[in-house]
Amino acid sequence: MTFAIAFCGAALRLFFAAVFYLAAPSESHALTAAERAKAEAAFPGWVERQVWPAAKKAGVARATFDAAFAGVRIDWSLPELGPGGGVPEGQAEFQSPAAYFNEKRLADLAALGRPLLRQWSKTLAGIEKRYGVPAEIVVAIWGRESAYGRVAPGKLAIAALATESYVGRRKETFFPELIAALKILQRGDVQPRQMLSSWAGALGETQFLPSKFLQFAVDFDGDGRADIWNSTPDVLASIAHYLVQHGWTRGQGWGFEVKAPSAVACSLEGPEQGKPLSAWQKMGVAPLGSLPRYARADTKFHLLMPAGRLGPAFLVTSNFYDIKDYNNSDLYALFIGQLADRYIGGGAFAGGWSKVATGFKRSDVLAIQKRLVAMGHDVGKVDGLVGYKTRIAIGLWQRKQGMAETCYPDAAVFAGLR
Ligand code: CA
C-alpha cells in the first residue's frame, strides 16, 4: 500500500485501500536479487548521465538537483517494476459500476465534507468568485482524491518518479514527470523531503502529476508558494483552477438524474450527442428530482448512462466532461457530482444498478472491443474498459441483431461478439 493512512474511519480506510488497489495491483517480484543489486549499483550513474542533463536543460540548478537526490535510492516496494512486473491488467474482474457508489463510502465522505464546507466557506467563496467553480464540486474532488487531506500520499516524489523512470514498465511516461518534479523544487514551492506523492508520482492532496502541478497549482493563501501538501486554500484553489482551465462553465452544475423512457435509445449518450434540454424533454426524458436552477430550455445537456440500461440515467452539462479531465472516467465524474450534491441535501441515486454478467474479465471486454472495431464501430480506446463509445457501439450492434438495446456487455453480448 502506498499511502500512509491516519485519522480515518475503518470504512474510509477500506475505501481507499480498494481504490488504490486497483491502481497498484501488486508489488513486482520480477527481478532477481542479483538483478536488483546490479540496478542499484548503476543507479547513481544513471542519475548523473541521464537525469542531470535533462534537468539542467529544464533550468534546474545543481544545488537543487543534489538536494533532491540526496539519499534517494531505488524503491523496490513500488508496483510495475521490471519486465512483466505486476498483475496483467487483462486479469482484472469485469465488475458492476455499483461498487463504485457504495452507500457507506459516500455517506462517510459526505459527513466528513459538510463541516469542511462551513469551515472553509470564506475561502471557497473567494475561489468561486475567481474561478466560477462551486464550493461543493471543489470539496468533493478534495474528498475523493485524499479524503480531505486525511489520507496523505506517503512516497518521496523524487524517489518514486526516479524508480519508475529507471526500472519501471512505463519509463517514457515517468521520466518527463521526474524532470517536472525537479522544476517544482527549483521553483521553491516545496522542499524535497516534503514533496510527497503516490507511488505513481501524484502529488499532495490534489493528486496532480508534476506536469499538471506546473500548469495548474496556484498560491491562494498569498505566501508566494503553491503548496498542495499543507495549505488548504492552495489545495482548493488549485482544484478549481484545474477545472476552469479545462473549460468549466460558470453558473452551471454537473447535471442531474433522469428517467429515460425505453423509447430513448441508450446509444444517444455521450459528449458528442448533446441537445438542448427542451429536446430531451420532448423525447420524454424527465428529471427524477427538481430541475436545477441553471437548467433552462436551451441549456445543452448530454445523456449519460454509465451502465447503459443496467443502471441509472443522467443529463449532464459540459462541466461533467471537465471533471472527467481530472480523471478520465464517467464513474469518477459521477461520483464527484453525487458527493457534491450530498453536501447540499442530495441523496442516493433513484435508479438502481442491475447485476452484470459474472465470470468475465477485462480481457473479455477487450476481445469484444476488437470485434466491434473489425465491424467498423468506434469503441474509443481499445483498453478493456467500458467507456461511452464502447457502450454506444454495443447498443448499435444490439439493434442490428434485433436484440434489446442495453449498451452494456451482458452474457448475450459476450457470446454474440466472441
Ligand atoms: Ca500558498
Side-chain angles (χ1 to χ4, degrees):
M1 208 68 263
T2 57
F3 276 64
I5 296 174
F7 313 119
C8 267
L12 210 58
R13 192 176 300 133
L14 267 177
F15 169 47
F16 279 89
V19 166
F20 291 113
Y21 186 78
L22 290 177
S26 86
E27 293 178 8
S28 167
H29 301 288
L31 294 177
T32 64
E35 284 168 332
R36 288 188 182 196
K38 200 175 157 201
E40 278 169 15
F43 181 65
W46 173 79
V47 170
E48 194 55 39
R49 281 189 296 277
Q50 301 295 323
V51 188
W52 167 240
K56 190 181 173 192
K57 205 173 154 199
V60 176
R62 185 71 211 193
T64 305
F65 187 79
D66 289 342
F69 275 99
V72 167
R73 303 178 55 184
I74 300 172
D75 184 348
W76 294 109
S77 73
L78 301 188
E80 296 200 356
L81 304 185
V87 173
E89 284 179 334
Q91 292 310 304
E93 194 85 17
F94 174 65
Q95 281 183 327
S96 165
Y100 208 97
F101 297 93
N102 178 285
E103 180 55 34
K104 174 102 177 81
R105 291 172 190 164
L106 272 159
D108 284 355
L109 272 179
L112 285 169
R114 278 184 210 106
L116 291 167
L117 272 158
R118 286 193 294 276
Q119 183 185 339
W120 294 102
S121 60
K122 223 177 133 185
T123 302
L124 287 161
I127 288 168
E128 181 158 2
K129 194 174 169 208
R130 186 181 298 179
Y131 299 113
V133 184
E136 60 273 15
I137 293 286
V138 172
V139 172
I141 291 179
W142 184 30
R144 180 64 182 73
E145 294 298 330
S146 63
Y148 316 102
R150 283 171 168 81
V151 182
K155 297 287 180 191
L156 275 181
I158 294 297
L161 290 165
T163 297
E164 292 292 347
S165 300
Y166 181 56
V167 285
R169 279 196 282 144
R170 292 182 289 150
K171 298 182 180 72
E172 64 294 341
T173 305
F174 282 107
F175 191 79
E177 295 299 340
L178 173 61
I179 302 304
L182 291 163
K183 283 175 80 171
I184 294 169
L185 292 173
Q186 183 62 42
R187 246 172 51 167
D189 291 298
V190 62
Q191 294 300 309
R193 303 296 111 184
Q194 272 80 56
M195 188 158 68
L196 300 178
S197 73
S198 71
W199 72 266
L203 303 170
E205 296 180 18
T206 63
Q207 290 286 283
F208 285 166
L209 282 173
S211 58
K212 303 289 183 190
F213 180 101
L214 289 170
Q215 288 175 273
F216 305 114
V218 292
D219 168 32
F220 202 74
D221 63 12
D223 71 350
R225 300 180 303 116
D227 184 353
I228 56 167
W229 295 268
N230 303 297
S231 165
T232 298
D234 289 6
V235 167
L236 298 173
S238 296
I239 291 169
H241 184 234
Y242 186 101
L243 291 178
V244 79
Q245 289 293 309
H246 285 85
W248 185 274
T249 303
R250 187 183 283 266
Q252 281 191 4
W254 66 273
F256 54 94
E257 191 178 357
V258 295
K259 182 162 175 45
S262 52
V264 178
C266 49
S267 53
L268 288 175
E269 78 153 318
E272 284 99 24
Q273 305 188 86
K275 301 178 197 300
L277 176 61
S278 55
W280 290 114
Q281 287 174 320
K282 238 175 250 167
M283 294 163 72
V285 177
L288 278 169
S290 53
L291 204 58
R293 270 183 306 172
Y294 63 82
R296 299 200 183 87
D298 63 347
T299 308
K300 193 175 183 183
F301 279 96
H302 309 263
L303 184 63
L304 169 77
M305 299 180 77
R309 283 280 164 201
L310 308 184
F314 305 86
L315 283 183
V316 299
T317 65
S318 63
N319 286 342
F320 178 86
Y321 298 104
D322 302 327
I323 301 173
K324 276 186 78 173
D325 286 330
Y326 207 101
N327 188 335
N328 189 19
S329 153
D330 282 333
L331 300 181
Y332 175 87
L334 194 56
F335 187 96
I336 297 301
Q338 159 80 184
L339 182 55
D341 284 356
R342 283 187 183 225
Y343 299 140
I344 50 176
F349 298 139
W353 307 87
S354 305
K355 276 203 171 134
V356 301
T358 52
F360 295 99
K361 298 198 183 306
R362 189 163 162 182
S363 52
D364 295 310
V365 177
L366 199 73
I368 65 173
Q369 284 178 323
K370 284 179 180 165
R371 285 277 289 140
L372 286 165
V373 168
M375 293 172 178
H377 288 283
D378 177 9
V379 301
K381 205 170 159 198
V382 180
D383 55 5
L385 300 175
V386 190
Y388 74 91
K389 285 187 176 174
T390 296
R391 296 195 295 268
I392 292 169
I394 289 170
L396 296 175
W397 175 81
Q398 286 170 320
R399 188 191 301 176
K400 223 171 168 182
Q401 307 304 305
M403 296 160 77
E405 243 180 280
T406 65
C407 302
Y408 208 72
D410 56 22
V413 170
F414 281 121
L417 283 167
R418 192 54 37 120

